[in-house]
Structures are given as C-alpha cells and as structure tokens.
Amino acid sequence: MAQEIKSITLVAPAFKGINTEDSPLAQDPSFAESADNAVIDKRGRIAARKGLSVLTTDKTELGTGNLRAIKEFRDNLGNTKIFSVGNNKILSGTTVLADETPGSYTITSDNWKIVNFNDNVYFFQRGYEPLVYNNTGGAVVKLSTVAGAAGVVAAMYGNEVLAAYGRLWTADFTTDKSTVYWSDLLIGHDWTGGTSGSINLSKVWPDGFDEIVALSAHNNLLIIFGKHSIVVYEGADSPATMRLVDTIAGVGCVDRDTVQYTGTDVLFLSQTGLRSFGRTVQEKSMPMSSLSGTITTDIIRLIRETGEIFRSVYHPEESFYLITFTNQAITFCFDVRGTLENGAYRVTRWPGTGFTCYGRKDNGDLLIGSRFGIGQYTGYKDNSLSYRFKYFSPELTFGDASKLKFLKRLRPTLVGGSGANAIFTWSYDFGTLFSSAEVGIRSQGRSDFNLSEYPVYSELSGYGISSTGDVDIGEVVVVNKFLGDFTSAPTIGSGGGALLEGDSYFDTAADIFYVYISSAFVDLDTLVPASVGEFSDGELVSRNAINANGSGSTITIGLEADINGHELSIQDINVLALIGKTL
Amino acid sequence: MDLKEILESIGGAGNAVNTAAALGLGTAGLALAEKGYSDLGDIGERAYAGLAGEGGLAEQLRGMLEFQPYTVTSATGGQFGMTQDPTTGQMTYQMATSPEEQALQQQTLANAGMFFNQAAMPVDQREQDIFQRMRTAMSPEEERQRLEMEQRMAAQGRLGVRTAQFGGTPEQLALAKAQEEARNTAMLNAMQFAGQEQQRQAQLGSGMLASGYVPQAQLLAALQPGMTAAERQRQSLSEQAGAYGQTYASGLQGLLSSALGQANIAGGVGGNITRAALGGLFG
C-alpha cells in the first residue's frame, strides 16, 4: 500500500543553539545537538562564525607562546596603543610585537589583567609588582617607580584589578583572599595615602568563608565575586562609607576573566554555568535560570578541569559573549540578543580555534590573541586556513517516534558558502554511523552574500579608477575601464582609442583578469588591494536536493562545511520522509 | 598745835597759864574746850578704828569680799571650776568636758587629722582612682556603643574597612573620637575633682578641727551664764558688803557726828566761857 511522503521543513534549524540538556526526543527542532564554529546570525539563522584574520607579521618576541591578554590603551589625548602579554613578556603593537617588559623585571606567568585608568594602563598579576604605562613616559614601568607611589608592597600585588569609581581596586593576593584594596582617588599608584583603604570580607561572606575571585562595577555597585558567593556594596564612589546591600550565597565566579560588563548587566561564569548578575540578584541564586542552561553539563565538565585558563569577551557589535576554556580549546558563543524560554542564551560552540584571549578596541574591532599573535575577528578564514562549520540536529521524530520513517530527500536552503562543499549527513535511531552526501555550492560570481567588495588598488586609484568584485576569487571589474572578455590581450582601448592606464579585460582562455598598468597588462591577482570596501549585493542562495536512504524511527540530520572565505548559513532544511508502519 | 601752844601764841611763849589764869574763868573754859578738842581726837581715833582698825569695817568688808570658789556645770556635763589656793592664794581654774564630749572631740579631731592627712596626700593617685571609677561607670555604655557600632558595621559589611583617611570607617573614627574625648574629659574631670576633693578634705579637716573644739567652746559658752551668776553673786556680796560698809559707816558717821556735836558743844561752851572770861582781858 502506498504511503504518504511527509514533507517537514525545519525552518531556521538550530536558531535556538545547542541543547545538550533536554531529552533528544523531546527537543524542539530549533535546537541543535551540535553547532560548531557557528553563530546565530542577525537573521536568527545558524551560520558560520567569522574567522581570525591575523594582523601580526612579526611575533618573534612571542615565540611559540600564546598571547594571554590584549588591551587597547587609550588616554584623554586620543593616544592609543595595543598591549598584549605572552611568552612571559609585556608586548605592544599588532603587526610587530615589541617587548615592553621593564628591565630587571622577571615574569614567569602571563596571567595579567590590564585596565585603563586615568591616562594610564595598569598591569596586575598575583605576586607581581603592578606595572604601568602612560604616553608621557612612553615605557612600561614598575608601579613603585612612579613619582609619588605609596603603599606599593607585596601585600597588594593582586590578581584582580578593577578601574571604577575613580579608583583602582585590587584583590586576590597570594596569601590574602578576603581583602580588597582601593587606591587614592584618581591616583593609581597611591595605595596608602589620601582616601585609599581596604576592606576585609572575611566576616562578610554569607557562607562564612570564601575567596575573592573577581571585582566588577555596575549601577554604582561594587560587586565582589567569591568562588561560591557574591557580595555587593553600594556607594563605592565613597568607599569609606560604602555599605553592603546584598549577598548571594551559593553562586560565585570561577575566574576573574569570565566577568564581562555588558552595559546593562554583568555576565560571569559560575560553577554551574554562565550567570547574569542582575538576574542572580533578582532570583537569589536560583539555579534553574542559568544563562547556559542548555549546556549546563558540558560547561560544568569544562569548568572542573584543573588549571584551566578562562578568557572571555563581550562584543556588542556581534552581540555575543565568548567564553574560552583555553586549555581545552573550547569556546562557547552566547548570543545575547535574547533568551530562550528557560532564560538561557542561545549558545554555539567553537572547538579548536586556538583563540587564547580577546580584546575589544574602542572602534568595535574584536582582537583575538593566539599563538599567531594578534588577529581580528573578521573574514571567514582562520589565519588563512579554512575551518569546519558543523550542525547536527537533535533526534527528529516528525511528531511520532513510534513510526518508521524512510528518509527520501533533503533539500536544504543554504545562504552563502560560495564554492564550498557542504556535506549532509543523516543517521537513524541515535546511531553514530552516518550516511552522507556532498553538495557543491556554486560560486557566487560578482555578488557574494554580504561580501561584495570595493577593493582599492593603489596601482589603479592613482588613475582615478575604482573597482568592485570579490578579491578572494579574483573577480574584479574595473569600473568604466572594462574593455570586455577576450581570449587574448586587446590592442585597442575604449571607443577605439589607444589603451590607457587602468584599462582591463577578462582573458576567457586563461581565466585571468588583466589590468593595463605601466603600458602592460598585469594579472590582477598579482596586485594586493590596499583596502576592501563591502556592500550588500544580494545573497547566494542554494537549494540543492539530496537523495537520502535508510529508515528508522528517529532521524538526525547534520551539515558540515569547510568555511574558507565565505559566510554560510542555514535558512531551512526541507525533509521528505515516508512515514511507515508503527513499530 | 595744842591749846597751850595756842595760848602761847595768844599770850606769848610761856604765858599760856598765865594767859589762862589771866583769863580767870577762861581756864575752865579752855579746859572744857580742850576736852571737846580731845574728844574730837578720840572721835577720829574711834572712826579710824571703826573703819580701818582691826575688826573694823575694812576688815569685815575684806572678809565679806573675799573670792568665792565656784563651779559651772554645762547641760552636757562639762564643768568649769575656779578655786584659790588657801595658802598661796593662787587662783586655779579647771575645765573639763563630759566623757561623751571628750569622745566626740577625740573623734572629730582624729577625723580632722585624717582629712588633713588626705588633703596633704599627692593627688595623682587619687586622680587615677577617680578616673578609673569614672571609666568604670562609662565603660558599659561605651561597650554598648561599640557593640552597636560593630553590629551596624557587620550589617553593612564594613567590619573590615581600613582607610588611610579615617583608620577604619568614618563612623568608627567618630565613635573612637567621642570615646577618647569622653576619656579625656573624664581625665580632666578626675584631675579637677581630685583638686576639689583635696580642698574639700582640707575644709572638712578644718571643719572637723573646729567641731573638735565645739564642746570646749560650748563649755566656755556655758560658763558665761555661770560666771554671770557668780559675778552677780559677787556683785551681790559686794553690794551687800557695800551696804554693810555704808550702813556701818553711816552708824559710825552718826556716832562720830554725835561725838563731834558733843565736842563742838563742849568746845563752844568752853569757848564762850573763855571768851567771856577773857573778854576783858583783850578787850
């Protein structure tokens, strides 16, 4: 007897991100079992993340080490300088990493925290005398060498530093885990004079004992994160009179570098997952509303790794919060545009990126530290190499897990991915043996998804000629000077006149774009654009159908693709399945 | 000058008898006059003997006005006695308060000595003692304030605050300052109080000293009426002696007057006889 082929469309699959907490059978198809190197794009689709465009060309000082922190120094005069740390050195610059470590200052660890404060940038690490840099001095120096420095002693060599309310605040010392020191007003090198002071929290912890991990400032509050509790002081602009307004027991912070201020809230990683300070205060540590509620088990397992180095960043331009477990090479990307029904952020996973620290520049650029030096979150290659975007759905039952399904056809709607090969996989009944089919996505041509460009060549701009096209695939059209397609070099210019500088043609035989420069046609690929502008010129949409096979009561569908210069997102997946007998 | 001499003056020296004889009856008259004259001398002798002679008025009055020993006893039992040694005539007075008064006096004088001793002691130890007592009185309240502050600081999570500006919190500094000011004030008050107390002890000593002599003073005060009474008695005796003397003298005066009259009469008669007898002689 003929059976009905049932068409089910998974619209914007995985737009709710990963969910490894709920039962696979009961899951909404909008979740994903796996979403690697993915983000939730601005249209709510799961898409490949951007890549790492390495800016550093000379990382001699970094050697084989990893960068562990990046900070952009800015002062009131507009001076800027990028500082980073790695290979037991204080480094500066992006293209060439220069050693800024003070003389006679030995560093054996790179767990620095760097903050800007009052035209200075300060470096704090437990057990190390703090360092400071300003544009006037032009060199990183030990804090005690600054004129007027006071109280710079080993007792205040904290691991955590916060610039807030006109002061520097430091905590988490080698032998003292309960004291917070604050500097004199606007004087980051005076820790014993003026209105400087300290507070010992040993009698304040709600659970009787805790250790300070991190500090944060929000809404005129000084938030002190312990490992297992949080205490909140208000009136920190006058620390001598600031008073305790809230304590939260049972929720703490695992690491200083997981705390990020989002403008309206403070995000931090607790022992049970990502938390929002605002919501934690409201809910008084109720565990059910963790912002990482869909990956709680996974994240707890990662947190428990001994000696883990955490790094995080909040990037409002991309609307995500990244938390990286550097030793385990796992990054979780939390989309902060909104939350799910259970209060969790939509989350995706970036495995094996090699990202080891982050820094957001004032202009919104997201800098990423790695063993390659400093890079920028842009483009769709990781240091010129591809990376794999992976999506796997949860077990799909098509409404009835008791009936047999015969998967007939998959018809995904993919956006972007020009020239990439997308590999679709499927398996039945929780199996790990996947069937697969590869789909080649056509090259976009002149109009790439969200990537049409205006490459500016210095050789052409000198002639007043602009150009457009995809640099990566060599498609450049020189506006107003394009002579046409030829199988060999033309000898006559536009309008029958002589060839002029900047004239161009496309050699259809050799598949090369030539530009007439200095009385000779030059392969455009040999030129390097000075800059590339972009414009939106439509999207590449692929709707290739894949014939599938096999049967089972539940189905898992996956997509893997190497991202190699082009964005790729999944708009939907249409599944045609024959519904069989009841098992 | 006797009559002879008188007559010799009249009739020349050695001529008195002649004169008298010459006078005839004049001699008898003269004899009578001489008798009157002699009687006047006797009267003087008698007056002298009656007034100043042995057993006379003066001697009687002296006996009457001799010092009379007396004793005054106060209402509280104190006594004052005035005696005269009968042999030497030396006056002796004795004054004794009652045993109770003596005990009181001894007590008050002892107290006076104690207060004076205390007043003479250095005040620094006393200042310290007073300060300690004041601190003892203040400490419970200060402890309550401290505990209250501690609880408030704990509730505000500020127990561990240390600042370069205030040491601890501003409130803790304010409390510490207040307590320290109270401590300083107590110290100054203790010094002031100790000085005042020293003065008071000196005053008390003086008072006690004065009080110690009150029984004596009161005894002396009590003597006044007794002495007055003795004086009255003495005055009475004096007046009595005076009256006696006056009466005695009056009697004597009367007697002398009578004798004088008699003498005058005899003299007058004698004179007249003489004048009559001698009138022709000189006439």
Side-chain angles (χ1 to χ4, degrees):
Chain A
M1 177 178 148
Q3 297 291 320
E4 172 194 11
I5 290 181
K6 194 167 185 175
S7 173
I8 300 169
T9 301
L10 305 177
V11 179
F15 84 93
K16 290 183 178 179
I18 303 169
N19 188 344
T20 58
E21 289 298 302
D22 295 335
S23 166
L25 281 178
Q27 273 188 23
D28 182 342
S30 300
F31 284 114
E33 183 69 18
S34 176
D36 288 351
N37 289 320
V39 294
I40 309 299
D41 72 8
K42 60 187 178 184
R43 297 189 177 182
R45 301 173 299 213
I46 190 165
R49 66 166 170 85
K50 290 181 182 175
L52 171 65
S53 176
V54 175
L55 305 175
T56 301
T57 58
D58 182 352
K59 67 179 195 76
T60 305
E61 295 295 342
L62 180 60
T64 57
N66 288 298
L67 287 183
R68 294 298 183 183
I70 301 174
K71 186 69 179 179
E72 181 186 37
F73 161 71
R74 296 183 67 85
D75 65 15
N76 284 332
L77 297 176
N79 300 304
T80 64
K81 190 169 187 175
I82 301 295
F83 282 99
S84 57
V85 296
N87 193 27
N88 299 327
K89 294 174 183 174
I90 307 293
L91 304 170
S92 68
T94 53
T95 306
V96 178
L97 299 181
D99 187 3
E100 297 270 359
T101 309
S104 304
Y105 190 87
T106 304
I107 302 173
T108 59
S109 178
D110 292 317
N111 194 30
W112 294 95
K113 182 167 182 180
I114 313 169
V115 295
N116 277 313
F117 176 62
N118 198 21
D119 290 346
N120 292 272
V121 62
Y122 293 88
F123 302 73
F124 275 68
Q125 181 178 194
R126 185 188 302 114
Y128 287 86
E129 180 178 344
L131 303 174
V132 62
Y133 170 88
N134 60 50
N135 202 62
T136 305
V140 177
V141 296
K142 292 190 279 191
L143 192 59
S144 62
T145 65
V146 176
V152 183
V153 295
M156 53 76 64
Y157 293 173
N159 201 48
E160 167 66 317
V161 62
L162 171 70
Y165 308 123
R167 304 171 191 279
L168 284 184
W169 307 71
T170 185
D172 189 3
F173 311 101
T174 303
T175 57
D176 183 356
K177 304 291 184 182
S178 291
T179 301
V180 178
Y181 288 89
W182 59 84
S183 72
D184 193 8
L185 188 67
L186 298 178
I187 307 174
H189 53 264
D190 187 354
W191 295 84
T192 54
T195 54
S196 63
S198 66
I199 182 170
N200 188 314
L201 301 180
S202 57
K203 296 178 178 64
V204 178
W205 296 118
D207 289 338
F209 175 78
D210 206 343
E211 297 178 2
I212 298 174
V213 172
L215 304 172
S216 185
H218 176 56
N219 276 356
N220 200 29
L221 300 174
L222 175 67
I223 307 163
I224 303 172
F225 293 94
K227 283 184 176 178
H228 307 290
S229 51
I230 303 170
V231 294
V232 185
Y233 282 83
E234 75 172 3
D237 49 355
S238 177
T241 57
M242 66 180 181
R243 59 188 181 279
L244 186 71
V245 292
D246 210 345
T247 60
I248 301 159
V251 177
C253 180
V254 298
D255 190 84
R256 166 197 78 181
D257 292 306
T258 68
V259 179
Q260 294 293 334
Y261 179 58
T262 66
T264 57
D265 207 342
V266 177
L267 303 180
F268 62 99
L269 189 63
S270 74
Q271 298 286 352
T272 55
L274 187 66
R275 296 274 184 170
S276 147
F277 168 73
R279 196 182 300 176
T280 302
V281 169
Q282 285 179 349
E283 299 175 358
K284 289 289 183 188
S285 81
M286 288 177 66
M288 60 180 61
S289 59
S290 165
L291 294 173
S292 57
T294 55
I295 54 168
T296 299
T297 306
D298 295 341
I299 208 162
I300 288 175
R301 188 182 67 249
L302 292 168
I303 289 169
R304 296 182 63 180
E305 174 76 11
T306 303
E308 181 57 270
I309 298 174
F310 301 87
R311 292 292 182 267
S312 68
V313 67
Y314 168 70
H315 196 248
E317 288 79 3
E318 297 287 346
S319 298
F320 61 47
Y321 167 90
L322 301 179
I323 175 73
T324 297
F325 304 81
T326 57
N327 288 352
Q328 300 170 83
I330 295 289
T331 298
F332 282 109
C333 172
F334 293 89
D335 184 273
V336 299
R337 292 186 186 92
T339 57
L340 301 172
E341 299 85 347
N342 63 358
Y345 283 144
R346 298 180 294 186
V347 60
T348 55
R349 192 179 73 142
W350 301 359
T353 57
F355 301 167
T356 53
C357 59
Y358 306 95
R360 180 182 174 275
K361 289 176 65 177
D362 196 59
N363 65 4
D365 289 348
L366 174 59
L367 300 180
I368 298 175
S370 68
R371 63 191 175 91
F372 305 113
I374 295 177
Q376 186 175 339
Y377 182 70
T378 186
Y380 287 92
K381 288 183 179 179
D382 276 353
N383 194 23
S384 303
L385 300 175
S386 65
Y387 51 92
R388 176 148 291 199
F389 165 71
K390 188 186 291 185
Y391 157 74
F392 281 88
S393 75
E395 294 290 329
L396 305 173
T397 62
F398 300 97
D400 189 350
S402 64
K403 290 195 173 181
L404 194 63
K405 288 94 184 176
F406 298 90
L407 194 57
K408 293 299 183 186
R409 180 173 294 177
L410 298 173
R411 190 179 185 195
T413 303
L414 303 178
V415 179
S418 175
N421 290 323
I423 302 167
F424 281 88
T425 58
W426 61 93
S427 73
Y428 295 93
D429 298 333
F430 303 94
T432 55
L433 184 60
F434 283 82
S435 301
S436 63
E438 184 173 345
V439 175
I441 302 173
R442 70 176 176 85
S443 296
Q444 187 173 16
R446 294 179 184 176
S447 299
D448 296 341
F449 165 70
N450 199 29
L451 198 65
S452 294
E453 298 169 339
Y454 292 92
V456 176
Y457 295 94
S458 58
E459 294 86 347
L460 299 177
S461 58
Y463 305 128
I465 300 170
S466 60
S467 55
T468 184
D470 190 334
V471 180
D472 292 334
I473 59 174
E475 293 181 356
V476 173
V477 175
V478 181
V479 178
N480 296 328
K481 287 288 187 180
F482 182 61
L483 301 177
D485 294 340
F486 298 93
T487 56
S488 60
T491 56
I492 299 173
S494 177
L499 291 171
L500 299 176
E501 299 291 336
D503 283 351
S504 59
Y505 78 99
F506 184 69
D507 189 327
T508 55
D511 197 21
I512 294 174
F513 197 96
Y514 287 101
V515 180
Y516 194 70
I517 298 173
S518 300
S519 302
F521 280 103
V522 177
D523 182 354
L524 193 65
D525 282 346
T526 63
L527 303 181
V528 177
S531 64
V532 179
E534 297 182 2
F535 67 95
S536 296
D537 190 27
E539 296 175 334
L540 173 62
V541 177
S542 304
R543 293 178 60 87
N544 298 325
I546 302 154
N547 291 323
N549 54 16
S551 63
S553 59
T554 62
I555 304 170
T556 298
I557 298 169
L559 167 66
E560 295 183 41
D562 286 332
I563 304 303
N564 191 17
H566 299 279
E567 185 181 24
L568 173 64
S569 58
I570 305 174
Q571 179 65 46
D572 63 46
I573 299 176
N574 181 262
V575 181
L576 292 176
L578 185 65
I579 307 299
K581 63 181 181 181
T582 301
L583 295 174
Chain B
M1 180 182 292
D2 58 15
L3 181 58
K4 185 181 179 185
E5 290 172 347
I6 294 170
L7 287 175
E8 286 179 350
S9 69
I10 295 171
N15 291 329
V17 175
N18 293 334
T19 300
L23 286 176
L25 284 175
T27 304
L30 286 172
L32 186 60
E34 186 178 8
K35 186 181 180 295
Y37 183 81
S38 299
D39 287 346
L40 283 175
D42 293 340
I43 291 167
E45 291 295 330
R46 286 176 62 188
Y48 173 77
L51 290 173
E54 186 176 351
L57 179 60
E59 191 170 310
Q60 290 181 32
L61 286 178
R62 191 181 69 175
M64 293 173 70
L65 294 175
E66 271 186 352
F67 174 74
Q68 300 296 317
Y70 68 92
T71 299
V72 177
T73 303
S74 71
T76 55
Q79 287 187 332
F80 179 84
M82 196 76 178
T83 58
Q84 186 177 28
D85 191 307
T87 306
T88 63
Q90 186 176 357
M91 300 296 292
T92 303
Y93 68 89
Q94 295 174 331
M95 188 169 60
T97 53
S98 67
E100 292 81 4
E101 287 173 327
Q102 288 178 9
L104 178 63
Q105 186 178 31
Q106 289 171 356
Q107 181 64 43
T108 51
L109 291 179
N111 287 343
M114 179 192 70
F115 282 122
F116 280 129
N117 285 337
Q118 289 179 350
M121 293 285 286
V123 294
D124 51 353
Q125 183 57 46
R126 182 59 184 156
E127 288 173 4
Q128 185 64 31
D129 293 343
I130 295 170
F131 176 70
Q132 288 302 330
R133 291 184 65 180
M134 295 174 79
R135 291 296 304 153
T136 303
M138 294 162 66
S139 293
E141 177 59 22
E142 289 184 355
E143 180 65 7
R144 277 190 291 275
Q145 290 175 346
R146 190 191 66 78
L147 290 172
E148 187 179 338
M149 171 69 74
E150 187 178 65
Q151 285 184 331
R152 188 161 64 248
M153 291 294 103
Q156 294 179 349
R158 302 167 63 201
L159 276 181
V161 171
R162 296 287 177 272
T163 60
Q165 195 175 9
F166 305 109
T169 65
E171 294 92 328
Q172 287 172 328
L173 175 65
L175 178 63
K177 281 179 67 177
Q179 291 186 343
E180 199 57 37
E181 284 175 3
R183 188 187 302 267
N184 291 340
T185 303
M187 183 177 67
L188 292 174
N189 286 343
M191 293 172 65
Q192 191 175 8
F193 186 84
Q196 290 174 345
E197 189 182 59
Q198 190 179 32
Q199 278 190 322
R200 197 162 54 249
Q201 285 168 338
Q203 289 172 349
L204 283 170
S206 298
M208 286 290 179
L209 185 62
S211 298
Y213 289 102
V214 165
Q216 182 178 336
Q218 289 302 312
L219 177 59
L220 291 174
L223 282 179
Q224 225 30 55
M227 289 179 74
T228 303
E231 177 63 19
R232 290 278 175 83
Q233 186 184 16
R234 188 192 64 77
Q235 283 181 353
S236 176
L237 287 172
S238 177
E239 286 171 0
Q240 190 179 354
Y244 174 81
Q246 197 168 14
T247 305
Y248 188 96
S250 296
L252 188 59
Q253 181 68 32
L255 180 62
L256 289 176
S257 296
S258 173
L260 186 59
Q262 289 173 339
N264 283 339
I265 291 169
V269 171
N272 285 337
I273 294 170
T274 303
R275 195 165 39 242
L278 297 179
L281 184 59
F282 294 102

